[in-house]
Amino acid sequence: MIFELAVFHPDSIAIAQACHVSRIELCDNYAVGGITPSLDNFKLARATFNGPIMVMIRPVAGGFVYDDAIIHQMQKEIKLFDDLGADGFVFGCLTNNFEVNASQLAMLVKAANKKPVTFHRAIDEVVNYENGIQDLINCGVTSVLTTGKMKSALDGKDVINKMIIKYGQQLNFIAGGGVRSNNVEELLRNSHIAEIHSAAITHGVDYIADKNEVMGIIDKLKF
């Protein structure tokens, strides 16, 4: 079982390392759903965390429809973090009609230089979810972070499970969205879900992962 911790604050990096989290998704600005992290935070993560680091590439908040200038900026950011030792990248891009923007996505996947790519929860905004999944596969995406187009991963458990059964040999499915220690066991029970994602933030406005919550999730993965 893989537990990916979404990291929005430098203090969460040490927590991820201490708790032996499988992988981190490094971002900034939890309040807007995550944007590209600072170089300083990445360098700290690379020096502190021994596991894989997936870097979110999202220069601006406010949606996932991007013009050519933003896509070019994203390509530059991918190259920058690739050179610094990122293990993979997390991004997503949609059309105005809420479909996967396959042409832009193909360019970003190419920029990732054969490193793993996760298409983030922008997939949950597409009109035709299954068509969107097929677009990701066709563009060479490695994984998708999803609630199954529902309010939470637990609500979308059946949809995610159905997609894993149908497409799991071609795409990794990461269940994320409202995943907590008090529901992760139910999420995983009688399912094919093998990867989960959580920020494990339980209080405050500093957006630091709660170490007890991280350990609580990890303990429940052993049920």
Side-chain angles (χ1 to χ4, degrees), residues 75 78-79 82 89 91 102-115 117 139-141:
Q75 290 172 308
I78 291 169
K79 176 65 165 60
D82 185 19
F89 305 97
F91 47 73
S103 60
Q104 291 183 341
L105 179 58
M107 289 189 290
L108 295 174
V109 169
K110 183 177 180 180
N113 197 27
K114 299 184 179 179
K115 288 188 175 180
V117 167
C139 289
V141 169

Side-chain angles (χ1 to χ4, degrees), residues 47-113:
T48 305
F49 184 69
N50 292 336
I53 301 172
M54 301 291 288
V55 178
M56 176 172 280
I57 303 296
R58 189 186 180 206
V60 294
F64 308 105
V65 178
Y66 303 126
D67 60 21
D68 290 344
I70 294 296
I71 293 297
H72 181 63
Q73 184 176 349
M74 293 171 75
Q75 290 172 308
K76 290 172 64 177
E77 290 181 352
I78 291 169
K79 176 65 165 60
L80 178 60
F81 285 102
D82 185 19
D83 289 345
L84 289 173
D87 294 292
F89 305 97
V90 182
F91 47 73
C93 46
L94 305 178
T95 68
N96 286 313
N97 296 324
F98 294 97
E99 298 172 340
V100 172
N101 193 319
S103 60
Q104 291 183 341
L105 179 58
M107 289 189 290
L108 295 174
V109 169
K110 183 177 180 180
N113 197 27

Side-chain angles (χ1 to χ4, degrees), residues 163-180:
M163 291 297 102
I164 293 172
I165 292 170
K166 190 167 185 178
Y167 297 108
Q169 296 300 313
Q170 301 164 279
L171 187 68
N172 298 320
F173 287 79
I174 308 168
V179 176
R180 294 291 183 268

Side-chain angles (χ1 to χ4, degrees), residues 111-132:
N113 197 27
K114 299 184 179 179
K115 288 188 175 180
V117 167
T118 297
F119 195 96
H120 54 47
R121 284 187 53 196
I123 192 65
D124 295 317
E125 297 187 10
V126 300
V127 174
N128 189 312
Y129 183 76
E130 189 164 353
N131 283 354

Side-chain angles (χ1 to χ4, degrees), residues 157-194:
K157 171 183 173 178
D158 291 342
V159 174
I160 298 171
N161 205 43
K162 178 182 176 182
M163 291 297 102
I164 293 172
I165 292 170
K166 190 167 185 178
Y167 297 108
Q169 296 300 313
Q170 301 164 279
L171 187 68
N172 298 320
F173 287 79
I174 308 168
V179 176
R180 294 291 183 268
S181 59
N182 63 3
N183 63 24
V184 67
E185 191 173 348
E186 183 180 355
L187 172 65
L188 298 177
R189 184 181 294 114
N190 299 321
S191 81
H192 295 276
I193 296 169

